[in-house]
């Protein structure tokens, strides 16, 4: 199989490639990435020399570039991770979210339609479009209840609204053109190689630098945390065993208030670095809340468990410890993504591709 992995140089995409490239030597994996600020090719060092791996620097919002890519690399499977993914950035500047998440998804769907044909009229080629989406499309829960695949879409941020739009486009291509698609809507991920703008890596980094730990509002918002490798395995399980045209919710059954996440991190970082925990807890700082801040996300993952036999392997405690250890062992990775030098190196080495 020729597998195009969009956004493969980002957090989840790079963890996915690190798992799947060595596991499936008979499949060719092409990482399709614009290499935005969120990408890091150091995350792909372990697979970059593999015979079944290639990198194409492509902006999915650029139709001509996507069209050229598909002419060269007709895929059997597209796994679509590429997105602008940070809610706070979407509040500050939503334009790139509309371009990449909506137009970019549209371009990929059009390219697949051109390559595979309209299944309702007899497909040219058997393909599959796997769309990686988020539970944030469902909006916010109150104190009770879980998101199921039937929950009404009700996105709150420009990020989640753009992801919701992309989900609708994917479903429309399935219903209108018979395109073989599958969608996964996953809860918050954490783990190695996550850009330190998201809650968990940001807090670890601030603890190591003894900077204030910014907690939005009262820190009572709840997220359902899933270790990144468990998400990657869920995607592969749906590709292999999920039903074409269906949506699967993916979650860790691990609901935590933000303040609990920060307290747990303080305890683990203190243990792992031989620091007094009170020194880290003393860095907690309550700051102005995020506008439109969803109160609670929680996933009912019954369908993927029943139909695809998937369950998460890591608990919150084991996953968090692995994550802290990774950031302690890979400080150069964090420094690199934060430095202007790294961007210059990426542009010099990958600018023309
Ligand atoms: P990320 O921001 O770490 O990585 C995104 C990747 O996409 C980067 O490598 C970036 O360079 C690339 N990209 C951005 N714009 C592009 C464009 N126009 N053309 C080509 N490549 C482009 O994101 P992530 O956390 O790895 O998320 C991956 C996917 O999973 C996203 O679709 C996101 O909505 C979804 N998701 C994320 C989470 C989470 O907790 N991180 C949870 C559920 C779903
Ligand atoms: P984030 O990692 O940005 O993911 P998302 O917004 O997609 O859920 O944030 C997770 C939670 O942590 C969210 O409720 C916002 C909160 N948060 C903070 O309190 N402080 C921070 O510095 C960040 C980045 C997030």
């Amino acid at each position: 199989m020729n597998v195009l992995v969009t956004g493969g140089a980002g957090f989840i995409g790079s963890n996915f490639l690190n798992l799947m490239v060595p596991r499936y030597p008979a499949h060719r994996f092409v990482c399709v990435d614009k290499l935005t600020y969120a990408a890091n090719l150091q995350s792909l060092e372990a697979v970059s020399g593999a015979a079944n791996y290639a990198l194409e620097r492509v902006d999915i919002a650029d139709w001509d570039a996507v069209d050229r890519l598909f002419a060269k690399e007709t895929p059997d499977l597209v796994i679509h991770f590429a997105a602008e993914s940070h809610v706070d950035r979407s509040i500050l500047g939503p334009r790139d979210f509309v371009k990449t998440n909506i137009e970019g998804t549209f371009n990929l769907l059009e390219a697949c339609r051109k390559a595979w044909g309209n299944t309702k009229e007899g497909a040219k080629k058997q393909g599959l479009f796997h769309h990686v989406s988020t539970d944030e499309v469902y909006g916010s829960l109150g104190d009770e209840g879980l998101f199921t695949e039937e929950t009404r879409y009700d996105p709150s941020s420009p990020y989640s609204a753009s992801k919701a739009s992309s989900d609708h486009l994917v479903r429309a291509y399935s219903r209108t053109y018979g395109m073989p698609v599958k969608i996964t809507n996953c809860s918050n991920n954490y783990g190695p190689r996550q850009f330190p703008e998201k809650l968990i890596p940001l807090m670890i980094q601030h603890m190591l630098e003894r900077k204030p730990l910014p907690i939005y509002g009262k820190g009572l918002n709840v997220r359902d945390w899933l270790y990144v490798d468990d998400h990657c395995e869920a995607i592969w399980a749906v590709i292999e065993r999920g039903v074409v045209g269906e949506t699967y919710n993916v979650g860790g059954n691990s609901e935590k208030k933000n303040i609990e996440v920060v307290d747990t991190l303080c305890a683990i970082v203190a243990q792992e670095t031989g620091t007094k925990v009170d020194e880290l807890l003393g860095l907690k700082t309550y700051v102005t809340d995020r506008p439109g801040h969803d109160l609670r996300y929680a996933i009912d993952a019954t369908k993927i468990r029943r139909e695809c036999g998937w369950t998460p392997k890591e608990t919150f405690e084991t996953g968090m410890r692995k994550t802290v250890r990774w950031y302690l062992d890979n400080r150069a990775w964090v420094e690199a993504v934060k430095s202007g030098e790294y961007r210059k190196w990426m542009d010099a080495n990958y600018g023309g591709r």
Side-chain angles (χ1 to χ4, degrees), residues 86-87 136 188 197-199 214-216 223 258 290 293:
H86 188 39
V87 173
E136 301 192 28
N188 284 61
E197 65 187 351
K198 305 273 168 67
L199 180 72
I215 298 163
Y216 299 166
R223 299 291 182 263
N258 291 339
R290 173 188 278 173
H293 196 175

Side-chain angles (χ1 to χ4, degrees), residues 147-163:
F147 295 135
T148 73
E149 289 77 3
E150 274 70 51
T151 302
R152 188 170 71 90
Y153 276 35
D154 188 20
S156 303
S157 70
Y159 162 67
S160 52
S162 67
K163 290 296 291 187

Side-chain angles (χ1 to χ4, degrees), residues 208-280:
L208 297 178
E209 295 174 17
R210 302 290 190 273
K211 284 190 189 161
L213 309 176
I215 298 163
Y216 299 166
K218 297 191 168 115
L220 299 178
N221 304 67
V222 173
R223 299 291 182 263
D224 176 0
W225 293 96
L226 181 69
Y227 190 69
V228 62
D229 284 359
D230 282 322
H231 183 192
C232 296
E233 298 292 356
I235 291 168
W236 199 260
V238 170
I239 288 168
E240 281 195 332
R241 299 188 286 281
V243 175
V244 172
E246 290 290 309
T247 291
Y248 295 86
N249 282 353
V250 185
N253 197 17
S254 188
E255 283 184 54
K256 304 282 170 207
K257 293 190 179 83
N258 291 339
I259 195 67
E260 293 177 73
V261 173
V262 175
D263 288 348
T264 304
L265 279 173
C266 285
I268 298 176
V269 172
Q271 280 169 10
E272 296 286 335
T273 58
T275 311
K276 287 209 172 68
V277 70
D278 286 345
E279 193 184 332
L280 302 182

Side-chain angles (χ1 to χ4, degrees), residues 168-186:
H168 291 320
L169 280 169
V170 173
R171 249 175 235 122
Y173 272 65
S174 163
R175 289 181 196 162
T176 306
Y177 305 115
M179 185 176 289
V181 306
K182 297 179 185 178
I183 301 176
T184 39
N185 292 88
C186 187

